[in-house]
């Protein structure tokens, strides 16, 4: 199509431009109008029905509370006057249909059986609105409304069509009224073209074009006539130059050009013309700049100027030239100024083809700065670019953005399909990322599944939207390998490069910290680094603990405490306690586990810490005469990482044998969330140690999302009821109900229950009434060093 348009006359091109602009304006305006109107219509109708549903829900709380179905039907009857609403349903707290409004008695207009899977959505011309009914944040039921928008869509489309017809009519009238104006431009151009054709056919340079108007076209005609005059003069000069340079060595293996100060080629040898893919006569008369690679044109202009300014010297440079075939070759040019017969200096260029050497050097340089797998810039090049950007920001007082991208779920592809599939996924994602960043920005592969992007001259807000776009593009990408299909997400951290930024290392740390914050918040999201970001500050604090934990393990800075656990009924006589770990700093201050355990969990140091606790505790018990005789149960906390550590079972068994500790007196505590997250590992871990006689306790029970469903699959002996429920059971009926139900279900499943956070005698008395087996908390006894543990602590129960 482009080649067809290129061959049209100027008159037809102008008409085509006018026609195209009119058509494009109408189409774009129509599309924008359609999208805007339909979008606004969808938003309004959705918002209106959601508001209506919320209002009906608020009015229906009384009906649900007092089981008044007639009042509920009356509330739903309000929707009778809305022609779009086909079905409206009110569900009670259990998800059963309490009341309904059906405009048409058909199968399609019935209420769904349960609202649990229903969501507010627009599906074609059908709008489904789901609104919870709540009182004081307590959900009492659900409102469900189904509306048919087909009639409303048809009304909106007719309105848009009418506006579009008006636009088309206006554009057609504008087009026909503009045609006479085009003749004022096309007619003088046509006469000029006819003159050019006549000169080209006859080679008569005495002919001149006729000037019609005194506008820019008149100036063009004058310039053309002047140019024809100069061409006539230069034609004669070229004839003389041809005779002058007949002695050139056409068979010289190097390329030789004689060019004017303006770069016009006076002569060329046979090798030079052949190398360019032309005949000698085709090269002569052209400008040497015509063959220079586009990016090297400024270099060539400067080279010519330098040669003319210093004619006594021989000048050298390497530059790229383009052959007629499109091939780019590297030439090493040696230039000197020579004096011609007319006393005007010209340049003699002797050129040697160094393409192979140059390409080899470029390949080596490219490999040093680019990633071999993806072709993107590598870490070294990225670091250099950040340094350059920091210097630019400080010099210009400008703002840029550094983005750190870490793919989510990439390991799944590697584990399932192998590294070949992972490499192909990285290549495809690299191509996608490269296509969706600006030409002036830089993207690099930093290693593994991590990428870096520097967005130039960009605010943090703009960078956030750009990264959200990249995140959505990657999220929508489907990677196919053999018969499998995968989707991956990406977590992105952003840091600002400005005149106050630190060095490249600090900027990368900031972006990396923001990226990990995005992962911590659920992955597949964008997080911007701010110095006062509490989440990032917490993470950086945890990172500082990594070294302290490692030194603590090496230097034995950790110490063990114990907190007693007592039977609520007071029947147990042996010592029952939970082992707790503390950290002793350089000043001897005891630091609680809340300061360092999150860092140990995050940075995979928890298994090493668990091993230290187990070994130290067993050694202490073994070396404490008579302690085993009074010990009933000793609880030891294990992290979720330890349960998935294949070597941990072997280590525990070896420690039991080494210190000769009775397995039935050791109870391992695991958190509910860790057990659920690693259910298969947890079940296998518990079963193997229980076969040796160990006990198990499920800590913080009730904090998970599916506690009761998973409880049947976890063979534990104790349930530790989450203290968040226990501490307020005197005042909060919901917490009381939770403690009661957990205790009852635990007993049904044959497990003993332990209540945490028992702070006073009133709570203990209520727990005794509920039938809870054991209690633990500051009201029972605070954590103390192992040496200070007593068989009968001065507990609340004892004081009663």
């Amino acid at each position: 199509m482009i080649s067809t348009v290129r061959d049209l006359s100027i008159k037809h091109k102008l008409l085509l431009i006018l026609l195209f602009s009119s058509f494009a304006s109408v189409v774009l305006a129509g599309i924008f109008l359609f999208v805007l109107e339909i979008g606004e219509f969808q938003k309004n109708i959705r918002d209106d029905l959601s508001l209506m549903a919320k209002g009906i829900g608020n009015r229906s709380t009384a009906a649900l509370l007092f089981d008044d179905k007639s009042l509920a039907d009356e509330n739903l009857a309000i929707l009778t006057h809305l022609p779009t609403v086909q079905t409206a349903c009110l569900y009670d707290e259990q998800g059963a249909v309490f009341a309904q409004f059906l405009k048409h008695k058909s199968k399609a207009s019935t209420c769904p059986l349960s609202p649990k899977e229903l969501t507010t959505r627009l599906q074609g011309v059908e709008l489904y609105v789901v609104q919870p009914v709540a009182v004081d944040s307590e959900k009492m039921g659900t409102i469900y409304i189904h509306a048919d928008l087909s009639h409303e869509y048809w009304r909106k489309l007719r309105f848009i069509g009418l506006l579009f017809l008006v636009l088309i009519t206006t554009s057609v009238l504008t087009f026909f009224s503009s045609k006479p104006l085009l003749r004022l431009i096309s007619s003088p151009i046509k006469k000029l073209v006819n003159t050019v054709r006549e000169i080209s056919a006859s080679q008569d340079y005495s002919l001149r074009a006729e000037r019609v108007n005194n506008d820019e076209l008149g100036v063009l005609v004058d310039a053309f006539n002047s140019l024809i005059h100069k061409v006539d003069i230069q034609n004669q000069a070229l004839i003389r130059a041809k005779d002058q340079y007949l002695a050139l060595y056409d068979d010289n293996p190097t390329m030789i050009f004689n060019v004017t100060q303006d770069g016009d080629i006076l002569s060329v040898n046979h090798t030079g013309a052949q190398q360019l893919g032309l005949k000698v006569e085709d090269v002569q008369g052209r400008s040497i700049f015509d063959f220079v690679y586009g990016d090297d044109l400024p270099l060539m202009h400067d080279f010519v100027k330098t040669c003319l300014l210093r004619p006594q010297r021989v000048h050298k440079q390497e530059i790229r030239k383009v052959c007629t075939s499109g091939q780019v070759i590297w030439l090493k040019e040696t230039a000197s100024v020579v004096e011609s017969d007319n006393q005007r200096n010209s340049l003699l260029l002797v050129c040697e083809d160094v393409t192979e050497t140059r390409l080899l050097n470029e390949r080596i340089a490219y490999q040093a700065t680019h990633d071999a797998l993806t072709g993107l810039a590598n870490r070294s090049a990225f670091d250099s670019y950040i340094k350059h950007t920091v210097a630019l920001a400080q010099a210009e007082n400008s703002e840029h953005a550094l983005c750190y991208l870490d793919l989510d779920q990439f390991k799944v592809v590697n584990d399932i399909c192998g590294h070949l599939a992972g490499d192909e996924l990285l290549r495809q994602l690299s191509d996608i990322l490269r296509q969706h960043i600006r030409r002036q920005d830089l993207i690099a592969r930093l290693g593994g599944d991590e990428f870096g992007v520097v967005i130039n001259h960009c605010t943090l807000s703009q960078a956030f939207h750009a990264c959200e776009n990249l995140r959505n593009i990657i999220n929508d990408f489907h990677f196919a390998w053999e018969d499998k299909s995968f989707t991956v997400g990406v977590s992105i951290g952003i840091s600002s490069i400005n005149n106050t930024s630190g060095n490249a290392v600090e900027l990368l740390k900031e972006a990396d910290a923001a990226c990990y914050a995005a992962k911590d918040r659920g992955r597949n999201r964008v997080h911007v680094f701010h110095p006062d970001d509490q989440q990032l500050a917490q993470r950086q604090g945890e990172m500082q603990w990594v070294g302290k934990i490692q030194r603590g393990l090496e230097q034995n800075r950790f110490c063990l405490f114990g907190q007693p656990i007592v039977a609520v009924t007071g029947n147990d006589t042996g010592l029952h306690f939970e082992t707790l770990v503390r950290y002793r700093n350089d000043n001897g201050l005891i630091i609680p586990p809340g300061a360092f355990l999150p860092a140990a969990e995050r940075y995979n140091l928890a298994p090493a810490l668990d091993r230290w606790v187990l070994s130290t505790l067993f050694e202490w018990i073994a070396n404490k005469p008579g302690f085993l005789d009074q010990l009933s149960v000793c609880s030891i906390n294990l992290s979720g990482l330890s349960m998935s550590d294949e070597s941990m079972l072997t280590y525990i068994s070896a420690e039991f044998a080494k210190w000769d500790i009775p397995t039935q007196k050791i109870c391992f505590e695991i958190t509910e969330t860790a057990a659920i997250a690693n259910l298969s590992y947890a079940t296998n871990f518990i079963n193997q140690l229980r076969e040796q006689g160990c006990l198990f306790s499920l800590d913080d029970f009730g904090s998970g999302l599916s506690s009761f469903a998973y409880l049947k699959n976890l063979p534990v002996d104790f349930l530790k009821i989450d203290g968040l429920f226990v501490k307020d059971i005197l005042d909060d009926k919901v917490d009381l109900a939770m403690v009661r139900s957990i205790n009852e279900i635990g007993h049904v499943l044959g497990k003993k229950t332990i209540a945490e956070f028992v702070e006073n005698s009133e709570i203990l008395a209520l727990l005794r009434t509920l039938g809870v087996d054991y209690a633990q908390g500051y009201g029972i006894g605070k954590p103390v060093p192992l040496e200070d543990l007593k068989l009968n602590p001065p507990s609340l129960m004892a004081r009663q």
Side-chain angles (χ1 to χ4, degrees), residues 126-422:
E126 307 291 332
L127 175 60
Y128 302 90
V129 175
V130 179
Q131 180 69 38
V133 179
V135 175
D136 294 333
S137 301
E138 182 178 353
K139 184 176 179 182
M140 298 182 58
T142 305
I143 291 291
Y144 165 81
I145 298 177
H146 165 219
D148 185 355
L149 308 180
S150 55
H151 180 69
E152 297 297 324
Y153 270 120
W154 177 242
R155 288 181 56 223
K156 184 62 66 176
L157 288 175
R158 282 188 296 176
F159 173 72
I160 295 173
L162 179 61
L163 293 180
F164 191 68
L165 182 61
V166 172
L167 285 174
I168 293 176
T169 304
T170 304
S171 298
V172 170
L173 293 175
T174 303
F175 173 77
F176 283 105
S177 63
S178 302
K179 287 186 63 177
L181 297 175
L182 298 180
R183 296 192 189 96
L184 296 177
I185 300 175
S186 60
S187 180
I189 294 177
K190 183 177 181 181
K191 291 182 179 180
L192 178 60
V193 170
N194 290 335
T195 302
V196 171
R197 289 174 177 170
E198 188 175 352
I199 292 175
S200 299
S202 63
Q203 298 296 312
D204 183 2
Y205 294 101
S206 62
L207 297 175
R208 297 292 181 267
E210 178 185 358
R211 179 171 181 168
V212 179
N213 300 321
N214 292 325
D215 55 6
E216 289 86 347
L217 289 175
V219 175
L220 178 63
V221 170
D222 290 342
F224 173 78
N225 291 334
S226 176
L227 180 62
I228 290 299
H229 177 69
K230 291 180 180 180
V231 168
D232 192 18
I233 295 175
Q234 291 177 358
N235 186 50
Q236 298 301 321
L238 287 174
I239 293 175
R240 292 192 300 271
K242 181 179 180 181
D243 296 335
Q244 179 181 358
Y245 290 98
L246 286 177
L248 283 175
Y249 297 100
D250 281 337
D251 294 333
N252 194 305
T254 59
M255 303 169 64
I256 302 175
F257 298 89
N258 185 224
V259 300
T260 67
Q261 298 180 12
D262 298 326
D264 296 326
I265 301 175
L266 300 174
S267 61
V268 61
N269 69 342
H270 178 74
T271 302
Q274 187 179 45
Q275 193 79 2
L276 294 175
L278 296 170
K279 296 180 180 179
V280 171
E281 55 269 23
D282 294 331
V283 177
Q284 290 177 345
R286 296 181 63 176
S287 173
I288 192 69
F289 300 110
D290 293 343
F291 302 101
V292 177
Y293 187 71
D295 293 346
D296 293 348
L297 276 172
L299 181 63
M300 188 64 187
H301 281 290
D302 292 340
F303 183 70
V304 172
K305 290 179 182 179
T306 303
C307 292
L308 295 174
L309 287 173
R310 299 177 180 177
Q312 70 279 4
R313 296 181 57 182
V314 175
H315 303 271
K316 296 181 180 181
Q317 73 166 2
E318 289 189 5
I319 198 168
R320 289 170 289 185
K321 285 189 168 55
V322 183
C323 304
T324 54
S325 62
Q327 179 187 3
V328 177
I329 59 175
W330 277 97
L331 299 179
K332 183 178 181 180
E333 293 184 337
T334 302
S336 63
V337 178
V338 296
E339 190 174 315
S340 60
D341 292 342
N342 57 5
Q343 302 299 313
R344 190 175 182 187
N345 293 341
S346 62
L347 286 179
L348 181 65
L349 298 176
V350 180
C351 307
E352 179 185 359
D353 189 346
V354 292
T355 303
E356 291 185 6
T357 303
R358 187 73 186 213
L359 290 178
L360 178 60
N361 292 336
E362 288 183 352
R363 189 177 299 113
I364 294 173
Y366 180 87
Q367 291 173 352
T369 58
H370 286 76
D371 175 58
L373 176 65
T374 63
L376 301 177
N378 61 14
R379 180 63 177 263
S380 175
F382 192 67
D383 290 342
S384 299
Y385 192 81
I386 295 175
K387 295 177 183 176
H388 165 74
T389 308
V390 170
L392 181 66
Q394 294 173 348
E396 297 181 347
N397 192 25
S398 54
E399 185 177 5
H400 316 267
L402 170 61
C403 311
Y404 195 98
L405 289 72
D406 193 340
L407 298 179
D408 301 325
Q409 306 303 325
F410 173 76
K411 188 175 182 297
V412 175
V413 179
N414 265 348
D415 292 345
I416 295 177
C417 300
H419 290 285
L420 287 178

Side-chain angles (χ1 to χ4, degrees), residues 614 618 638 648-657 668 685 689:
L614 189 73
F618 281 13
L638 286 180
M648 183 59 76
L649 282 170
T650 304
Y651 180 82
I652 293 175
S653 299
E655 288 297 306
F656 272 119
F668 292 103
F685 189 90
L689 286 179

Side-chain angles (χ1 to χ4, degrees), residues 646-666:
E646 296 179 356
S647 63
M648 183 59 76
L649 282 170
T650 304
Y651 180 82
I652 293 175
S653 299
E655 288 297 306
F656 272 119
K658 178 180 179 181
W659 301 107
D660 193 23
I661 303 297
T663 56
Q664 70 274 12
K665 293 195 175 187
I666 300 300

